Amino acid sequence: MLAVLIIAVVLLIWNGSTFFRQISAVGADLGREARTASIALTLNVALILFGWRQYVDLQHEAERRADGERRAAVLASTDSHSGLLNRKGFADRAQVLAERACRLGLDLAIISIQINRFKSINERHGYDVGDSLLRSIAAAMTEALGEGAEIARLSGDEFAVALAVDPEKPGDAEHSAEAAMHAVTTVFTIDDRVIQVGAFAGIAWAPAVDVRIPDLLRRADIAMEHAKSGRSARPVWFDAGMERALIAHGEIEQGIRYGLEHDQFVPFFEPQLDLETGEIVGFEVLARWIHPLSGTIQPDVFIPVAEELGLIGRLSEKVIADALAQAVDWDPKVKISVNISPIQLTDAWLAQRIVRLLTETGFPADRLVVEITESSLVTDIDLARSIVTSLKNQGVRLALDDFGTGFSSLSHLRSLPFDVIKIDRSFVANIHSNRESVAIVRAVTTLASALNVPVCVEGIESEAAHAAVLGLGCAVGQGWYFGKPMPGEQAAEMLVQRGHQEPQAPRTAAAG
Ligand code: C2E
Ligand code: MG
Ligand code: MG
């Protein structure tokens, strides 16, 4: 552009000087020459103006582009719902903050915050209210934490804050975490609805000189997960033990895969009794991991990890196949209950798999009870219904496990044709001393009897509990008072001792 201007000015000067030279040299032709010269001058001025205009337009265009690029950069690093930084923006800005903190001899703290049950706000009030809530939380956090903090929304319900902190004053980071939690848990009024959510927070801290933002954020997340699992109302500091526990989790993952290949998952059997007569009417199959180094591992350690790994179907089927193969020759009056986790009920082929296990082991379908929990009915009730209907058509019975703990919705009771309702053991643990537990067990028993569905009570640990649930009209129960989960041979022996029909000669199960 500058070149155009220079050329235009040179032309003007050259033409202008020609013009004046012509005036002095040729007086007679003044009229004609002057006209020519003035046309040239006008053309030159027009050229300059045109050039200038081009220059200004180009200047504007350059500014517009720079502005667009700036806006694109802001958008790429901003969360559109809350107006806070997004994950990328947070990583960049926290890095800049760390460099500044390093120059000032400060440390860097990252706070990870999660809203408790944000999903249920969206489900109950709709996504518009959820979005408004996010904006309100973002504004409250920005106000509470002030200018020095970098605040981000990392995903649906996760926030992060980066702060430069004085190494001598760790309390400052904790105060900021508390302020952030306080901001999240403010009572907001959105569309005339009063909304308040809970929050969990974790804090991780490192010298700014050698900090890696992703590592520090991961540690803050680990601490936050601890806060969440401990239902802590206060921020939790990261410590190295938490990371070690996670590594152990990684070892469980490896172990499960190895254990599945090497038959380390086996069925244990917990007796279920007629509470009136004391007769064994069934066994619940409970998976155990027989670990070569750690001994017998309970399912609460490995079932959640197997679910995360997508291995729960394989694991459960292996345990069920072994259980059916062992129990096929026991007294035919004795039922076998197996647990199906919610994830398994999202497998459209589950019914076929179970029927295949029945065929392979020769186990009669009407001796099998499948236990599902209410949470299974929330994910995809239609699929659950179709699986259950296929199984029931084969003669398999259906139990609603852990009733009273989850949603305890009456509609769930009616949504599928349950043959048994299992009352969760938490109501039985202190039934002889707790009036509320008595009221709940009585209410469920009355309801079940009105629906014509028998109940089975879990967790009977004492004679007093046995007497209490019997008095409340429960027909069947299980618990350590009658027998802890035991290996198949022991369960078979128990049956014989109680006068049940002796097992026939063992058959070879085709199931693997
Ligand atoms: P659940 O189906 O509710 O099983 C009952 C749990 O209560 C078992 O825990 C049992 O050992 C425990 N229990 C029974 N009687 C008493 C008692 O008197 N007192 C106390 N304190 N506890 C008692 P376990 O074996 O740890 O199983 C936990 C859960 O793991 C089971 O809960 C079930 O949901 C799941 N699970 C177990 N085996 C399998 C499996 O093969 N597949 C699937 N998908 N889930 C399984
Ligand atoms: Mg169960
Ligand atoms: Mg249960």
Side-chain angles (χ1 to χ4, degrees):
M1 184 60 234
L2 203 61
V4 174
L5 262 181
I6 292 167
I7 291 167
V9 170
V10 168
L11 271 175
L12 177 64
I13 294 167
W14 184 75
N15 280 319
S17 64
T18 309
F19 172 65
F20 287 114
R21 254 184 282 123
Q22 281 166 345
I23 287 177
S24 55
V26 196
D29 290 335
L30 187 62
R32 190 171 49 86
E33 290 289 327
R35 260 200 316 279
T36 311
S38 77
I39 289 168
L41 182 62
T42 311
L43 273 173
N44 283 328
V45 169
L47 194 58
I48 290 170
L49 286 177
F50 176 72
W52 176 250
R53 178 78 224 199
Q54 287 270 69
Y55 172 73
V56 170
D57 283 353
L58 276 174
Q59 194 82 344
H60 280 164
E61 179 59 25
E63 275 167 19
R64 257 201 307 277
R65 267 197 208 164
D67 204 34
E69 275 164 18
R70 259 195 309 277
R71 254 182 298 141
V74 169
L75 279 180
S77 58
T78 305
D79 166 52
S80 59
H81 291 283
S82 64
L84 297 173
L85 294 170
N86 61 16
R87 193 174 284 276
K88 178 188 175 305
F90 183 72
D92 295 346
R93 297 270 281 273
Q95 188 59 48
V96 173
L97 183 64
E99 283 157 19
R100 202 181 318 136
C102 187
R103 284 195 298 276
L104 298 171
L106 297 174
D107 286 354
L108 194 80
I110 290 188
I111 303 164
S112 164
I113 300 160
Q114 189 174 59
I115 306 177
N116 187 23
R117 296 172 60 80
F118 177 60
K119 196 164 161 259
S120 72
I121 297 284
N122 279 331
E123 284 166 359
R124 272 214 317 269
H125 303 292
Y127 286 91
D128 287 348
V129 172
D131 287 352
S132 302
L133 176 65
L134 286 176
R135 281 192 293 278
S136 305
I137 287 176
M141 274 173 86
T142 310
E143 195 187 326
L145 295 168
E147 292 234 315
E150 298 293 359
I151 312 172
R153 177 171 169 252
L154 302 181
S155 69
D157 53 3
E158 278 180 300
F159 294 82
V161 179
L163 300 160
V165 283
D166 184 340
E168 304 294 315
K169 296 182 184 162
D172 289 356
E174 199 162 322
H175 287 149
S176 296
E178 279 168 353
M181 281 180 84
H182 190 69
V184 174
T185 55
T186 308
V187 180
F188 296 106
T189 304
I190 297 167
D191 286 352
D192 294 333
R193 291 169 231 232
V194 176
I195 293 184
Q196 186 179 27
V197 289
F200 300 109
I203 317 171
W205 173 299
V209 64
D210 60 358
V211 73
R212 276 198 73 245
I213 302 300
D215 287 349
L216 197 58
L217 180 58
R218 192 174 57 85
R219 288 185 197 147
D221 282 344
I222 293 173
M224 188 275 293
E225 287 297 337
H226 271 253
K228 194 162 126 190
S229 57
R231 320 278 322 152
S232 170
R234 296 181 47 73
V236 168
W237 283 93
F238 169 82
D239 77 61
M242 296 175 179
E243 206 156 28
R244 280 198 294 276
L246 265 191
I247 293 167
H249 184 274
E251 280 166 10
I252 293 176
E253 282 186 24
Q254 295 301 320
I256 289 178
R257 292 182 201 281
Y258 183 87
L260 271 172
E261 300 298 327
H262 294 85
D263 289 342
Q264 292 176 359
F265 293 94
V266 300
F268 268 40
F269 296 81
E270 179 172 313
Q272 298 174 322
L273 280 80
D274 179 320
L275 294 175
E276 193 85 58
T277 63
E279 189 190 0
I280 295 176
V281 292
F283 285 93
E284 177 172 3
V285 174
L286 296 159
R288 293 291 180 266
W289 184 1
I290 311 297
H291 194 278
L293 299 176
S294 311
T296 304
I297 302 178
Q298 305 295 314
D300 54 350
V301 175
F302 60 84
I303 296 265
V305 186
E307 285 179 340
E308 268 172 42
L309 295 176
L311 291 173
I312 185 65
R314 213 175 125 199
L315 192 155
S316 273
E317 279 166 38
K318 162 86 180 62
V319 170
I320 294 172
D322 282 0
L324 299 186
Q326 290 183 55
V328 66
D329 296 312
W330 298 354
D331 183 343
K333 285 196 298 234
V334 171
K335 305 242 180 301
I336 294 294
S337 301
V338 296
N339 290 285
I340 297 294
S341 65
I343 292 179
Q344 290 176 268
L345 262 193
T346 59
D347 170 10
W349 294 98
L350 180 68
Q352 283 84 337
R353 290 181 205 283
I354 293 177
V355 171
R356 202 194 74 215
L357 296 182
L358 289 170
T359 316
E360 286 175 350
T361 55
F363 195 91
D366 60 1
R367 279 185 62 204
L368 180 67
V369 183
V370 164
E371 295 189 3
I372 63 173
T373 55
E374 279 185 292
S375 45
S376 308
L377 307 178
V378 179
T379 323
D380 186 344
I381 180 74
D382 292 328
L383 180 56
R385 191 175 287 122
S386 103
I387 292 171
V388 162
T389 309
S390 305
L391 288 171
K392 288 211 69 160
N393 287 342
Q394 300 286 326
V396 174
R397 292 154 65 83
L398 181 67
L400 180 56
D401 202 359
D402 299 346
F403 190 71
T405 49
F407 305 88
S408 301
S409 154
L410 297 185
S411 68
H412 287 153
L413 274 182
R414 291 179 50 211
S415 63
L416 292 177
F418 290 105
D419 299 291
V420 178
I421 296 171
K422 294 191 74 176
I423 301 181
D424 189 68
R425 66 172 189 262
S426 54
F427 302 108
V428 184
N430 54 2
I431 192 155
H432 41 280
S433 58
N434 186 313
R435 289 218 311 256
E436 276 172 24
S437 294
V438 170
I440 290 169
V441 173
R442 180 179 287 121
V444 176
T445 314
T446 311
L447 182 70
S449 126
L451 293 171
N452 213 13
V453 181
V455 295
C456 171
V457 197
E458 301 179 308
I460 301 173
E461 288 184 2
S462 62
E463 196 180 342
H466 176 204
V469 294
L470 190 58
L472 290 168
C474 303
V476 175
Q478 62 185 83
W480 295 349
Y481 178 58
F482 305 118
K484 287 194 171 181
M486 58 191 91
E489 310 81 65
Q490 227 171 295
E493 243 169 63
M494 186 178 188
L495 281 174
V496 173
Q497 277 168 9
R498 304 262 182 135
H500 284 261
Q501 184 181 311
E502 294 249 357
Q504 294 143 26
R507 293 191 215 171
T508 316

